[in-house]
Amino acid sequence: MMLINLTFATTLGPVCYTIVAELPASEVRAQTVVLARAAYVISGLINDQLTPRMLSTGDWSTSSAPVSQRS
């Protein structure tokens, strides 16, 4: 898992910053980068809150056991 994360962080991961910085016109480039980064941070916060709840078997009742056998 660490190797996968390292590979992503050194190859494909930083590409989004290049795309975001190069797509808009130069007059609005700074504002676009700020908005994109803010959206990235907000989506990361939401993801950080939802992922543990989705993986836990008790919170969202996502276990594979039938309903009658759940405690």
Side-chain angles (χ1 to χ4, degrees):
M1 188 64 147
M2 289 178 61
L3 182 60
I4 291 171
N5 283 337
L6 176 67
T7 303
F8 177 76
T10 57
T11 58
L12 188 61
V15 169
C16 66
Y17 298 111
T18 305
I19 292 172
V20 167
E22 296 298 328
L23 280 180
S26 60
E27 296 86 16
V28 293
R29 186 169 291 155
Q31 293 90 349
T32 306
V33 171
V34 168
L35 287 174
R37 185 64 186 172
Y40 175 77
V41 168
I42 290 169
S43 66
L45 290 172
I46 293 169
N47 188 32
D48 290 344
Q49 291 298 314
L50 288 179
T51 300
R53 289 178 173 87
M54 290 180 354
L55 294 176
S56 141
T57 57
D59 287 344
W60 285 8
S61 298
T62 56
S63 68
S64 59
V67 176
S68 61
Q69 294 179 357
R70 292 182 188 166
S71 54

